[in-house]
Amino acid sequence: MPSSPKLFHARQSTWNGRRLTAMFLCSLIGFSCFIFGLIAIYRAGLGSKCKYGKPLSVSVTWDKSSTGGTYKSGGISDEGQKRHKVMGFVGIQTGFGSVGRRRSLRQTWFPSDHQGLQRLEESTGLVFRFVIGRTKDRSKMSGLKKEIDEYDDFLLLDTEEEYRRLPYKTLAFFKAAYALYDSDFYVKADDDIYLRPDRLSLLLAKERSHSQTYLGCMKKGPVFTDPTLKWYEPLADLLGKEYFLHAYGPIYALSADVVASLVALRNDSFRMFSNEDVTIGSWMLAMNVNHEDSKELCTVECTSTSIAVWDIPKCSGLCNPEKKMLEHHKLDICSKSPTMPPEEKDEDEDEEEDE
């Protein structure tokens, strides 16, 4: 009997010790997991900042209640926000069926990585963004969101993305670009041309005596009156038999003073023709602008002076953009880095029409 209490107390002490040890180990493991979790989250945040920093893509919608041109970016009104000062803003007009074209551009002259794009912009003084509108197709919008998340190189417009509404999209582009950037020139370019940003920068930097400049590869030609043709003009009676002097649509530039005048106008102040380049050209006739003709903006082959290369006038762009873009880029005369990765098969077969 006397030994029973000793035996009882000995077992109680052993059980309590084991319990305390287990609780301590569990607490230690839990605390360690918490610390490692915080470290992982912190490193992920640093990685995100190193990769992107401040996002480059922006979504622009217009506040229709304001006549002063207020815009909203990401749902927040940016009225009074300081505009970024650059020499030129280059908007690459693209569409939902042009995934393959954008891929080809990012494999050639348009850097695909965030830092590369920033380096290009710093070295040339030009800002480059893909410009696209919206669609009611949720799957297409979802695909665009994934592309934006990956590359962060878009300017999103609050306008319907349709081929027949290109004049409206172009006006929306100039207004949005002007709201975001204090630029000497605003450049409209298509996604099916091969561009030399360094040479474009030199062209825009030239001294000019006229503050209102309309810069492009100028042309004239017959007005298309046949409804079966791609460039048919329903308002042909207002134009006569031949178009006035205007720039080819694949690439042209407007000086800041010209764009400022466009921004000040209501959307319905000027007439919209069927073709976007004709529409812009008609507006230029109504303004005191200087038409500057530059043939380097519309060459069919890469040369030592070519700025924009495309299949003029056959395709109003490159006839096979994905393939031709890579071919031009491989030429030493067109690129400082002619070595390209093996050509990939284009999985995007749903291309939009050449503009």
Side-chain angles (χ1 to χ4, degrees):
M1 292 295 296
S3 62
S4 295
K6 293 181 181 180
L7 184 59
F8 175 81
H9 287 296
R11 286 181 178 177
Q12 178 71 18
S13 176
T14 303
W15 171 251
N16 287 339
R18 289 176 180 174
R19 215 166 85 179
L20 288 173
T21 301
M23 290 176 64
F24 175 78
L25 289 175
C26 288
S27 299
L28 182 61
I29 292 173
F31 181 75
S32 300
C33 291
F34 176 74
I35 294 299
F36 283 125
L38 286 178
I39 293 174
I41 293 173
Y42 177 72
R43 286 181 175 177
L46 284 180
S48 176
K49 289 181 181 178
C50 289
K51 183 179 179 181
Y52 288 128
K54 184 178 179 180
L56 300 181
S57 295
V58 62
S59 176
V60 176
T61 58
W62 291 95
D63 184 357
K64 297 179 181 179
S65 64
S66 172
T67 58
T70 304
Y71 72 95
K72 294 181 179 180
S73 171
I76 302 174
S77 177
D78 289 310
E79 185 175 18
Q81 178 175 315
K82 184 178 179 181
R83 296 156 70 213
H84 303 285
K85 177 61 181 174
V86 295
M87 184 173 68
F89 183 93
V90 184
I92 309 301
Q93 311 296 308
T94 191
F96 289 95
S98 290
V99 176
R101 293 184 186 183
R102 292 192 292 274
R103 179 166 58 245
S104 295
L105 262 66
R106 294 190 183 106
Q107 289 177 334
T108 54
W109 65 266
F110 194 118
S112 60
D113 63 293
H114 203 265
Q115 292 181 344
L117 183 57
Q118 289 184 317
R119 284 195 299 269
L120 175 64
E121 294 176 353
E122 290 171 359
S123 65
T124 61
L126 308 178
V127 171
F128 298 87
R129 296 289 184 274
F130 287 110
V131 181
I132 194 169
R134 51 176 164 73
T135 178
K136 295 178 181 178
D137 189 321
R138 291 185 178 180
S139 62
K140 290 182 179 180
M141 290 300 292
S142 176
L144 176 62
K145 184 181 182 303
K146 292 179 181 178
E147 191 174 347
I148 293 172
D149 291 341
E150 181 174 0
Y151 296 105
D152 188 29
D153 52 12
F154 281 87
L155 172 60
L156 310 175
L157 302 177
D158 185 26
T159 185
E160 200 71 22
E161 184 66 47
E162 292 183 25
Y163 183 76
R164 64 181 180 85
R165 291 185 58 84
L166 283 180
Y168 296 91
K169 176 184 177 181
T170 304
L171 179 58
F173 156 65
F174 282 122
K175 286 192 171 187
Y178 186 83
L180 292 168
Y181 290 90
D182 178 10
S183 178
D184 296 334
F185 277 92
Y186 298 87
V187 182
K188 178 265 177 183
D190 287 346
D191 60 7
D192 56 355
I193 65 171
Y194 184 82
L195 186 66
R196 279 293 301 259
D198 53 342
R199 294 176 186 167
L200 176 61
S201 176
L202 294 175
L203 176 64
L204 298 182
K206 286 174 53 178
E207 290 289 335
R208 293 175 173 85
S209 58
H210 207 296
S211 63
Q212 298 192 69
T213 300
Y214 175 34
L215 172 61
C217 188
M218 300 296 169
K219 65 168 180 174
K220 283 186 176 182
V223 177
F224 291 90
T225 58
D226 185 349
T228 63
L229 297 177
K230 179 180 178 181
W231 291 291
Y232 164 65
E233 178 53 69
L235 300 177
D237 291 344
L238 298 177
L239 298 170
K241 294 183 179 180
E242 186 179 62
Y243 285 119
F244 38 80
L245 187 69
H246 64 284
Y248 276 101
I251 182 170
Y252 57 84
L254 303 180
S255 63
D257 283 358
V258 176
V259 176
S261 298
L262 295 180
V263 169
L265 294 169
R266 295 176 60 89
N267 282 2
D268 56 355
S269 295
F270 280 165
R271 187 179 297 277
M272 295 284 187
F273 291 100
S274 178
N275 298 299
E276 165 260 331
D277 54 355
V278 172
T279 300
I280 295 296
S282 69
W283 298 350
M284 296 302 101
L285 286 181
M287 307 166 84
N288 185 28
V289 305
N290 179 50
H291 289 59
E292 183 176 328
D293 188 16
S294 176
K295 298 304 180 186
E296 288 80 13
L297 290 171
C298 58
T299 61
V300 294
E301 297 292 342
C302 292
T303 69
S304 59
T305 59
S306 59
I307 299 174
V309 182
W310 41 283
D311 298 326
I312 178 177
K314 181 168 53 174
C315 296
S316 190
L318 293 173
C319 294
N320 189 339
E322 288 86 347
K323 181 179 179 182
K324 295 289 284 290
M325 198 81 65
L326 293 169
E327 289 177 354
H328 285 309
H329 197 69
K330 288 175 182 177
L331 300 176
D332 290 345
I333 202 169
C334 271
S335 175
K336 295 179 181 178
S337 303
T339 305
M340 291 297 300
E343 191 169 322
E344 299 179 1
K345 184 178 179 181
D346 184 9
E347 298 177 355
D348 179 48
E349 299 178 353
D350 184 25
E351 292 184 16
E352 65 179 8
E353 289 184 312
D354 290 321
E355 298 178 6

